[in-house]
């Protein structure tokens, strides 16, 4: 197996436990969703900072990407609410 395949398998295994870890944390849905996104922001900021001069997208595409990020935030809250209401085995 190549390193890429191993990394993909490890990532899939780790992400499959995210609902269980959230359920065990005892956090409410808004808090769980907020911190899950907030922990990703510094990494995404570094990626953006290093590649910002290569970004040639027009403003319209940037606004669409920003709106998609807002929609994703609401999706994260809904996902955490579903875990809270149904359980981690959904």
């Amino acid at each position: 197996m190549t390193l890429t395949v191993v990394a993909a398998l490890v990532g899939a295994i780790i992400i499959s436990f995210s609902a269980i870890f959230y359920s065990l944390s005892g956090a409410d849905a808004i808090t769980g969703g907020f911190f899950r996104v907030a922990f990703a922001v510094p990494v995404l900021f570094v990626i953006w900072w290093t590649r910002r001069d290569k970004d040639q997208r027009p403003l319209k595409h940037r606004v669409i990407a920003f709106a998609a990020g807002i929609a994703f935030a609401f999706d994260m809250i809904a996902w955490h609410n579903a875990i809270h209401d149904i359980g981690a085995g959904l």
Side-chain angles (χ1 to χ4, degrees), residues 1-86:
M1 270 199 249
T2 65
L3 181 61
T4 307
V5 173
V6 171
L9 289 174
V10 169
I13 290 169
I14 289 172
I15 200 71
S16 68
F17 284 98
S18 64
I20 296 168
F21 290 145
Y22 165 71
S23 182
L24 292 174
S25 74
D28 64 344
I30 301 290
T31 305
F34 173 80
F35 281 108
R36 191 160 181 198
V37 173
F39 290 149
V41 167
V43 174
L44 294 174
F45 180 79
V46 169
I47 292 170
W48 170 78
W49 186 262
T50 59
R51 300 186 51 87
R52 70 186 185 284
D53 56 337
K54 298 176 186 174
D55 189 7
Q56 302 297 324
R57 293 177 298 165
L59 180 62
K60 178 182 176 184
H61 292 180
R62 292 175 193 232
V63 170
I64 291 171
F66 182 78
I70 298 298
F72 179 66
F74 284 112
D75 178 63
M76 291 296 290
I77 292 170
W79 185 77
H80 285 86
N81 272 322
I83 294 171
H84 187 270
D85 293 341
I86 299 170

